[in-house]
Amino acid sequence: NSDYKDSYIEGNISENLFVSVAENNGFLVKESSKNDNIFNHIDFYLTKDNIKISFDVKGQKRKNRHDKNKSNEIVWVELKNVKGKNGWLYGKQDYVAFEFDNEFIIVKREHLKKYIEKTIDFSSPLVKNPSMAYKKLYQRKNRKDLITIINKSDLLLVPHRIWMKNQH
Protein backbone atom coordinates (compact mmCIF):
# COMPACT_ATOMS: atom_id res chain seq x y z
CA ASN A 1 0.00 0.00 0.00
CA SER A 2 1.63 3.21 -1.16
CA ASP A 3 -0.02 5.27 1.64
CA TYR A 4 1.95 3.32 4.22
CA LYS A 5 5.16 3.40 2.21
CA ASP A 6 4.85 7.19 1.93
CA SER A 7 4.24 7.48 5.70
CA TYR A 8 7.27 5.30 6.35
CA ILE A 9 9.51 7.38 4.07
CA GLU A 10 8.15 10.63 5.52
CA GLY A 11 8.75 9.27 9.03
CA ASN A 12 12.36 8.51 8.18
CA ILE A 13 12.91 12.02 6.84
CA SER A 14 11.50 13.49 10.09
CA GLU A 15 13.69 11.19 12.18
CA ASN A 16 16.84 12.05 10.20
CA LEU A 17 16.06 15.73 10.61
CA PHE A 18 15.49 15.25 14.33
CA VAL A 19 18.88 13.53 14.66
CA SER A 20 20.71 16.44 13.05
CA VAL A 21 18.83 19.01 15.17
CA ALA A 22 19.58 17.00 18.35
CA GLU A 23 23.26 16.80 17.39
CA ASN A 24 23.27 20.58 16.77
CA ASN A 25 21.97 20.89 20.34
CA GLY A 26 24.98 18.97 21.63
CA PHE A 27 23.42 15.53 22.11
CA LEU A 28 24.96 12.20 21.26
CA VAL A 29 22.22 10.28 19.43
CA LYS A 30 21.78 6.53 19.38
CA GLU A 31 19.00 4.77 17.52
CA SER A 32 16.88 2.44 19.67
CA SER A 33 16.58 -1.29 19.09
CA LYS A 34 13.70 -2.54 16.95
CA ASN A 35 12.19 -4.00 20.12
CA ASP A 36 12.38 -0.67 21.98
CA ASN A 37 10.86 1.06 18.99
CA ILE A 38 7.91 -1.32 18.66
CA PHE A 39 7.08 -2.02 22.31
CA ASN A 40 8.29 1.09 24.16
CA HIS A 41 7.76 3.75 21.45
CA ILE A 42 11.38 4.84 21.69
CA ASP A 43 13.06 5.96 18.46
CA PHE A 44 16.27 7.41 19.91
CA TYR A 45 18.34 7.77 23.05
CA LEU A 46 19.98 11.14 23.48
CA THR A 47 22.90 11.60 25.84
CA LYS A 48 24.45 14.81 27.13
CA ASP A 49 26.47 15.39 30.32
CA ASN A 50 26.06 11.69 31.20
CA ILE A 51 22.26 12.02 31.19
CA LYS A 52 20.43 9.66 28.84
CA ILE A 53 16.86 10.38 27.74
CA SER A 54 14.56 8.57 25.33
CA PHE A 55 12.59 10.13 22.48
CA ASP A 56 9.71 9.25 20.22
CA VAL A 57 9.71 11.40 17.07
CA LYS A 58 6.42 12.31 15.41
CA GLY A 59 6.58 13.66 11.88
CA GLN A 60 4.02 16.14 10.62
CA LYS A 61 0.67 14.56 9.79
CA ARG A 62 -2.24 15.34 7.56
CA LYS A 63 -5.53 16.11 9.26
CA ASN A 64 -7.16 13.66 6.89
CA ARG A 65 -5.42 10.85 5.02
CA HIS A 66 -6.56 12.28 1.68
CA ASP A 67 -5.29 15.81 2.34
CA LYS A 68 -2.51 16.80 -0.01
CA ASN A 69 -0.54 18.80 2.53
CA LYS A 70 0.56 18.11 6.05
CA SER A 71 -0.76 20.36 8.76
CA ASN A 72 1.43 22.80 10.63
CA GLU A 73 -1.35 23.23 13.19
CA ILE A 74 -2.41 19.80 14.45
CA VAL A 75 -1.03 16.76 16.23
CA TRP A 76 -2.59 13.30 16.28
CA VAL A 77 -2.30 11.60 19.68
CA GLU A 78 -2.58 7.81 19.91
CA LEU A 79 -4.21 6.48 23.10
CA LYS A 80 -4.68 2.98 21.69
CA ASN A 81 -2.93 1.46 18.69
CA VAL A 82 -4.57 -0.42 15.80
CA LYS A 83 -4.49 -3.64 17.85
CA GLY A 84 -6.31 -1.96 20.75
CA LYS A 85 -3.19 -2.01 22.94
CA ASN A 86 -1.78 1.07 24.68
CA GLY A 87 -0.79 3.67 22.11
CA TRP A 88 2.37 5.76 22.14
CA LEU A 89 0.90 8.17 24.72
CA TYR A 90 1.35 5.31 27.21
CA GLY A 91 4.79 4.24 25.99
CA LYS A 92 8.06 4.24 27.92
CA GLN A 93 9.68 7.18 26.13
CA ASP A 94 10.70 10.17 28.26
CA TYR A 95 9.96 12.76 25.58
CA VAL A 96 7.96 13.15 22.39
CA ALA A 97 9.27 15.43 19.64
CA PHE A 98 6.62 16.76 17.25
CA GLU A 99 7.76 18.06 13.91
CA PHE A 100 6.31 21.27 12.49
CA ASP A 101 7.31 23.34 9.46
CA ASN A 102 10.20 25.15 11.17
CA GLU A 103 10.71 23.41 14.49
CA PHE A 104 10.33 20.42 16.72
CA ILE A 105 8.22 20.97 19.83
CA ILE A 106 9.43 18.68 22.60
CA VAL A 107 7.28 17.66 25.56
CA LYS A 108 7.63 15.15 28.35
CA ARG A 109 5.33 12.24 27.52
CA GLU A 110 4.06 12.27 31.11
CA HIS A 111 3.05 15.96 30.88
CA LEU A 112 1.26 15.37 27.58
CA LYS A 113 -0.54 12.34 29.01
CA LYS A 114 -1.83 14.40 31.96
CA TYR A 115 -2.96 17.17 29.60
CA ILE A 116 -4.80 14.74 27.30
CA GLU A 117 -6.47 12.92 30.19
CA LYS A 118 -7.63 16.25 31.61
CA THR A 119 -8.78 17.73 28.28
CA ILE A 120 -10.44 14.96 26.28
CA ASP A 121 -14.09 14.13 26.89
CA PHE A 122 -13.92 10.38 27.42
CA SER A 123 -17.66 10.09 28.04
CA SER A 124 -18.81 11.36 24.67
CA PRO A 125 -19.32 8.87 21.80
CA LEU A 126 -16.56 8.34 19.26
CA VAL A 127 -16.63 10.80 16.38
CA LYS A 128 -17.16 9.33 12.91
CA ASN A 129 -14.80 11.51 10.97
CA PRO A 130 -11.19 12.69 11.43
CA SER A 131 -12.27 16.28 10.82
CA MET A 132 -14.33 16.07 14.03
CA ALA A 133 -11.56 14.55 16.15
CA TYR A 134 -10.35 17.73 17.84
CA LYS A 135 -10.24 16.85 21.56
CA LYS A 136 -12.66 14.00 20.80
CA LEU A 137 -11.95 10.32 20.44
CA TYR A 138 -11.86 8.88 16.94
CA GLN A 139 -11.45 5.30 15.76
CA ARG A 140 -10.60 4.40 12.19
CA LYS A 141 -12.86 2.01 10.36
CA ASN A 142 -12.09 -1.66 11.08
CA ARG A 143 -9.35 -0.70 13.55
CA LYS A 144 -9.12 -0.87 17.32
CA ASP A 145 -7.21 2.38 17.65
CA LEU A 146 -8.28 5.35 19.72
CA ILE A 147 -6.82 8.65 18.56
CA THR A 148 -7.50 12.34 19.00
CA ILE A 149 -6.31 15.63 17.57
CA ILE A 150 -4.95 18.57 19.50
CA ASN A 151 -3.70 21.83 18.05
CA LYS A 152 -0.15 23.09 18.11
CA SER A 153 -1.43 25.84 20.42
CA ASP A 154 -2.64 23.13 22.86
CA LEU A 155 0.76 21.47 22.73
CA LEU A 156 2.32 24.79 23.71
CA LEU A 157 0.22 24.77 26.92
CA VAL A 158 2.18 21.72 28.06
CA PRO A 159 5.67 22.47 29.43
CA HIS A 160 7.80 22.29 26.30
CA ARG A 161 11.02 23.15 24.59
CA ILE A 162 11.41 24.24 20.98
CA TRP A 163 14.26 23.16 18.73
CA MET A 164 14.45 25.14 15.51
CA LYS A 165 15.24 23.13 12.39
CA ASN A 166 17.53 25.70 10.78
CA GLN A 167 20.06 26.70 13.40
CA HIS A 168 22.60 28.71 11.49
Side-chain angles (χ1 to χ4, degrees):
N1 184 325
S2 72
D3 276 2
Y4 297 112
K5 196 179 92 193
D6 291 348
S7 296
Y8 179 77
I9 291 166
E10 289 169 357
N12 274 3
I13 292 168
S14 296
E15 289 181 3
N16 292 340
L17 203 52
F18 174 79
V19 168
S20 69
V21 172
E23 287 172 343
N24 287 342
N25 277 287
F27 286 91
L28 185 68
V29 181
K30 185 178 175 292
E31 197 169 342
S32 71
S33 68
K34 191 173 178 175
N35 217 28
D36 249 355
N37 192 323
I38 294 168
F39 297 106
N40 299 325
H41 302 281
I42 296 171
D43 292 318
F44 299 101
Y45 288 97
L46 274 59
T47 309
K48 189 179 193 176
D49 304 328
N50 290 322
I51 297 167
K52 185 176 173 184
I53 50 180
S54 57
F55 275 81
D56 188 7
V57 178
K58 300 291 168 200
Q60 280 181 289
K61 302 285 191 270
R62 293 165 181 81
K63 185 162 190 176
N64 198 310
R65 179 179 308 167
H66 307 293
D67 291 351
K68 194 168 150 44
N69 297 318
K70 294 181 192 169
S71 172
N72 191 47
E73 291 307 319
I74 64 134
V75 167
W76 280 100
V77 179
E78 181 190 70
L79 291 88
K80 287 191 172 168
N81 67 19
V82 291
K83 295 183 175 134
K85 303 252 190 280
N86 275 348
W88 62 254
L89 185 62
Y90 298 96
K92 294 203 171 120
Q93 71 282 41
D94 299 313
Y95 291 88
V96 184
F98 295 94
E99 183 188 12
F100 291 96
D101 290 351
N102 303 310
E103 74 275 8
F104 283 95
I105 296 178
I106 296 165
V107 297
K108 264 192 169 161
R109 182 193 56 79
E110 205 45 55
H111 289 162
L112 181 62
K113 180 173 89 77
K114 284 190 177 102
Y115 176 81
I116 292 293
E117 289 174 347
K118 194 174 72 199
T119 312
I120 304 301
D121 180 4
F122 288 91
S123 63
S124 68
L126 299 179
V127 296
K128 302 269 183 257
N129 189 309
S131 64
M132 299 158 63
Y134 176 67
K135 291 190 179 179
K136 300 252 191 287
L137 295 173
Y138 170 68
Q139 190 167 50
R140 291 178 292 182
K141 194 179 163 122
N142 304 323
R143 306 280 178 98
K144 293 181 181 161
D145 58 2
L146 214 46
I147 54 185
T148 189
I149 289 176
I150 60 171
N151 286 334
K152 181 181 187 176
S153 57
D154 297 312
L155 197 57
L156 295 172
L157 298 174
V158 178
H160 63 277
R161 164 172 300 169
I162 295 177
W163 284 358
M164 298 308 292
K165 286 183 180 176
N166 299 329
Q167 302 169 320
H168 298 295

